[in-house]
Amino acid sequence: MKTQFLVAFLGAAVLVAGCHSTLEGRSRAGVPWVKDSLESKYERPPEQVFAAAREVLKFNGALVKESTLLGGTNAVRVLEGKVNTRSVWVSVEPVDAKVTSVAVEVRTKGGGKDTDLMAELSKQIALQLVR
């Protein structure tokens, strides 16, 4: 009886835990069924938006890595950083000649989302672009 309970418990734990894909395209342990990114669009060139996102990450925590993902005609630039104990990814992608898309993803150590920090960083990027 105890063995059946243990097997059932472990099976449920495997179903709840899983992997999620980051904005960088890597898989990490975490809760996969939650909305974990916030997307915004700005009428600014990608270089200006990328610089604003970099400054926001440096101001709030630490910039860990910058990378460029080549796909199609547009290159997607991704920043990875740490804010407090949270892992942060910011993706900057040109939509057309005038519009740039920014996606912010924040995860806790356990793989959960942090909606408040995600919204705060997105707002700070927008305010950085106004300056």
Side-chain angles (χ1 to χ4, degrees):
M1 182 73 162
K2 290 181 183 179
T3 306
Q4 289 177 342
F5 177 74
L6 183 61
V7 169
F9 178 74
L10 289 176
V14 169
L15 288 175
V16 171
C19 292
H20 70 92
S21 181
T22 65
L23 292 173
E24 197 175 32
R26 294 184 176 173
S27 291
R28 299 237 175 176
V31 182
W33 302 290
V34 295
K35 180 180 175 358
D36 62 349
S37 63
L38 181 64
E39 186 175 353
S40 304
K41 294 184 181 176
Y42 304 106
E43 287 190 25
R44 298 271 196 258
E47 296 81 21
Q48 188 178 8
V49 176
F50 189 75
R54 183 186 307 123
E55 288 302 314
V56 167
L57 277 180
K58 285 181 181 178
F59 177 76
N60 287 286
L63 182 62
V64 175
K65 185 170 92 172
E66 295 182 22
S67 59
T68 302
L69 307 175
L70 301 175
T73 58
N74 296 327
V76 179
R77 297 178 74 184
V78 180
L79 294 168
E80 184 178 342
K82 288 282 193 184
V83 176
N84 296 330
T85 60
R86 309 294 195 240
S87 297
V88 179
W89 294 271
V90 179
S91 168
V92 178
E93 178 179 8
V95 175
D96 59 27
K98 293 183 178 182
V99 178
T100 302
S101 173
V102 177
V104 179
E105 179 181 340
V106 178
R107 290 287 184 151
T108 63
K109 280 186 177 181
K113 66 178 181 169
D114 188 345
T115 308
D116 294 336
L117 182 58
M118 189 174 17
E120 180 64 27
L121 292 175
S122 183
K123 180 172 58 173
Q124 286 183 19
I125 292 171
L127 290 173
Q128 186 74 24
L129 288 170
V130 173
R131 292 182 185 176

